[in-house]
Amino acid sequence: LLKRKGIKAIVTLPLMTDAGCIGFVGFDSLSNADVFGRAEIELLKVLAQAFTNLKVRARNEAELRQVSAERGMLLDTMSAQVWYLKDPGTYGLANRAHAEFLGLPREAIQNRKLTEFLPPDVAAVCLRSNGAVFAERRAAQTQEWVTLKTGERRLIEIFKNPFLAADGSVAYVVCVGQDTTEKHRLQAEMLQAKEKAEQIARAKATFLAAMAHELRTPLNVILAYSQIMNRECAECPQKKN
């Protein structure tokens, strides 16, 4: 086979990874039947390692892209809002639900300072609560009112969970949020209805107490007259007969 190709000398090395052999790399000579020296073989080893590293890196990057795409798909199909913070005032990535809640494209919030897309009063509240999680290095649950791009105010309940680096510092904080505006409205309406029912009950009790007092006086008078009349009738001769 080598003669038909005109190859007079060849040296090859396999490209080995943890998964096995992924190919070969080698030198050949078409002019002379040289015996490759130690220097050429060492160079070939370097090239073999470099090609192997490139192959492994390309494979790992492809696998990482696949995993990232799958995680992104999973996050984007969740109804819950998910995002993470690089520091108290800087967003990392965010899923579709959170971007839609804010009424902004993801590129307008991802890797941006929250002061760039939130109103000053809302940003100040977020900075305080975020700063506490980073400083105390423990999870927290907060409720924050957010003014949307449309001007509507919505209440969001947020669970903030810090992830610690090897040195104990907070590497980032993962946030999971849920729009609880309707829940808050229903609770307020139920509380208002309860207070109204209690007010009506108190008014009814007051009315009945007043009516009992108003009726007791004339009833006592009637009862007294009845007792007098009974005594008079008892003394009457016809009554005795």
Side-chain angles (χ1 to χ4, degrees), residues 3-235:
K3 290 181 179 180
R4 288 199 302 268
K5 297 290 185 179
I7 299 174
K8 295 183 178 180
I10 187 171
V11 59
T12 62
L13 287 176
L15 305 179
M16 301 300 296
T17 68
D18 294 340
C21 180
I22 60 173
F24 294 87
V25 63
F27 294 146
D28 59 50
S29 175
L30 302 177
S31 56
N32 299 311
D34 294 332
V35 176
F36 292 97
R38 184 177 182 83
E40 288 87 354
I41 293 176
E42 290 299 324
L43 177 59
L44 189 59
K45 288 180 179 179
V46 172
L47 291 175
Q49 187 61 53
F51 290 148
T52 301
N53 292 341
L54 288 174
K55 283 280 189 179
V56 171
R57 179 178 177 181
R59 184 185 63 189
N60 290 343
E61 289 177 348
E63 292 176 352
L64 183 60
R65 285 193 297 269
Q66 179 65 23
V67 171
S68 179
E70 291 174 355
R71 289 180 178 175
M73 179 181 65
L74 178 62
L75 289 175
D76 283 341
T77 55
M78 294 175 61
S79 60
Q81 304 174 38
V82 182
W83 68 99
Y84 78 88
L85 302 169
K86 297 179 178 180
D87 57 60
T90 307
Y91 264 51
L93 301 181
N95 73 341
R96 182 182 301 167
H98 188 53
E100 290 178 350
F101 172 79
L102 296 175
L104 296 168
R106 273 193 281 193
E107 56 268 21
I109 62 177
Q110 292 185 150
N111 302 308
R112 298 290 186 90
K113 296 289 185 181
L114 55 84
T115 53
E116 296 180 23
F117 56 87
L118 291 178
D121 57 335
V122 176
V125 173
C126 293
L127 283 170
R128 282 196 299 271
S129 62
N130 294 345
V133 175
F134 273 89
E136 297 173 7
R137 297 184 297 174
R138 62 182 180 183
Q141 178 182 356
T142 65
Q143 287 188 327
E144 300 171 8
W145 285 98
V146 178
T147 303
L148 305 183
K149 190 177 180 181
T150 59
E152 180 185 9
R153 284 179 60 81
R154 306 287 295 182
L155 182 64
I156 180 172
E157 185 177 31
I158 308 173
F159 296 88
K160 301 178 179 181
N161 190 26
F163 282 78
L164 304 182
D167 60 358
S169 63
V170 177
Y172 54 89
V173 172
V174 173
C175 303
V176 179
Q178 192 73 37
D179 186 351
T180 58
T181 307
E182 295 304 317
K183 178 182 177 182
H184 177 77
R185 180 183 62 79
L186 290 174
Q187 288 176 341
E189 290 178 355
M190 290 176 62
L191 179 60
Q192 186 177 3
K194 179 183 176 183
E195 291 176 348
K196 187 175 181 180
E198 291 175 348
Q199 184 179 1
I200 292 174
R202 287 193 297 270
K204 181 180 178 181
T206 303
F207 171 76
L208 292 176
M211 287 300 297
H213 175 74
E214 295 295 329
L215 290 174
R216 188 162 49 247
T217 300
L219 287 175
N220 288 336
V221 173
I222 294 172
L223 180 61
Y225 273 112
S226 299
Q227 292 173 347
I228 293 172
M229 292 177 66
N230 284 334
R231 284 198 299 271
E232 290 177 352
C233 290
E235 295 172 357

